[in-house]
Amino acid sequence: KQEVTQIPAALSVPEGENLVLNCSFTDSAIYNLQWFRQDPGKGLTSLLLIQSSQREQTSGRLNASLDKSSGRSTLYIAASQPGDSATYLCASVYSGNTPLVFGKGTRLSVIA
Amino acid sequence: SQTIHQWPATLVQPVGSPLSLECTVEGTSNPNLYWYRQAAGRGLQLLFYSVGIGQISSEVPQNLSASRPQDRQFILSSKKLLLSDSGFYLCAWSPPNKYPYEQYFGPGTRLTVT
């Protein structure tokens, strides 16, 4: 069974800190891995997608890495801001036209 | 550009009442469509997905059903709601047969069954 795990479930940091969110997956035969942001009561916003042939993707202060051999992905957030407070979800897809397998997310609070 | 719509945004329904949630996608053809549910304190659960009109795959046995009457329309239904059907329902789409199969989500519907 394909599973995605995110640790920690919740994280609180002071503003300005750099932080890393972790995601692990049981099946290395993934097509891609997506990182999403979810604000309370809202839908999911796609942040970064890493294809299976890539090792990392960057967007602004965000950097996502992928290590298929170890079954891990990380989302690095530089110089965190209170506006970064949200739940961050990772998800993977294992073949075309199939649904994502989600982790349960990490709830991030950035304290001003 | 592509846009995904869901309605209603919020819904409060009594136990035993019917349900119909709608999702539509604009700006693309033959998208793959998905329904997910997010219950309080739990992760996202896939309910149904569709790769074409009339083609519905169900992931878990439940009180719900899905239909795809048109290419870009996906409907989630129930004949009689249960308390356990409460949650946040999300519709998503992805381009058909197009690597890397990125998925895009709608704004969601908050359903409370009382």
Side-chain angles (χ1 to χ4, degrees):
Chain A
K1 180 182 178 182
Q2 297 146 347
E3 294 183 350
V4 176
T5 304
Q6 292 186 250
I7 295 173
L11 181 63
S12 183
V13 300
E15 182 179 5
E17 270 203 10
N18 303 325
L19 60 99
V20 175
L21 305 180
N22 297 296
C23 172
S24 61
F25 44 92
T26 55
D27 188 343
S28 63
I30 62 172
Y31 272 36
N32 70 43
L33 190 132
Q34 274 187 267
W35 282 94
F36 294 89
R37 169 183 172 140
Q38 185 177 29
D39 293 294
K42 304 294 185 182
L44 274 64
T45 300
S46 182
L47 298 173
L48 290 164
L49 179 146
I50 311 176
Q51 299 178 33
S52 62
S53 59
Q54 299 173 325
R55 293 191 65 83
E56 66 177 51
Q57 283 285 332
T58 298
S59 176
R61 293 183 293 109
L62 305 179
N63 176 278
S65 68
L66 176 65
D67 185 342
K68 287 180 59 178
S69 61
S70 66
R72 293 182 178 183
S73 176
T74 61
L75 179 66
Y76 174 82
I77 302 177
S80 59
Q81 303 170 358
D84 295 329
S85 298
T87 296
Y88 291 81
L89 297 140
C90 70
S92 57
V93 64
Y94 289 88
S95 63
N97 297 334
T98 60
L100 292 167
V101 178
F102 277 89
K104 292 187 177 181
T106 295
R107 189 173 68 253
L108 173 66
S109 298
V110 181
I111 310 302
Chain B
S1 64
Q2 299 85 15
T3 308
I4 180 169
H5 302 279
Q6 283 187 248
W7 65 90
T10 60
L11 192 59
V12 180
Q13 293 283 95
V15 169
S17 64
L19 172 73
S20 181
L21 302 181
E22 189 164 344
C23 171
T24 59
V25 181
E26 296 178 352
T28 187
S29 297
N30 195 32
N32 300 321
L33 296 171
Y34 311 87
W35 278 112
Y36 295 86
R37 177 170 60 197
Q38 190 175 38
R42 302 180 66 179
L44 274 157
Q45 178 187 33
L46 175 71
L47 301 175
F48 302 95
Y49 70 97
S50 171
V51 298
I53 295 175
Q55 300 179 59
I56 309 293
S57 296
S58 175
E59 288 296 300
V60 293
Q62 58 214 330
N63 185 41
L64 303 169
S65 62
S67 62
R68 186 170 177 174
Q70 300 181 42
D71 181 42
R72 292 168 291 168
Q73 183 185 30
F74 206 22
I75 297 173
L76 184 69
S77 304
S78 174
K79 292 183 179 179
K80 291 185 178 181
L81 283 169
L82 306 172
L83 284 174
S84 58
D85 292 324
S86 293
F88 192 50
Y89 289 81
L90 288 159
C91 181
W93 74 276
S94 65
N97 302 313
K98 184 178 178 182
Y99 184 80
Y101 310 111
E102 185 167 5
Q103 291 194 14
Y104 304 89
F105 282 77
T109 295
R110 172 75 57 190
L111 172 65
T112 303
V113 182
T114 59

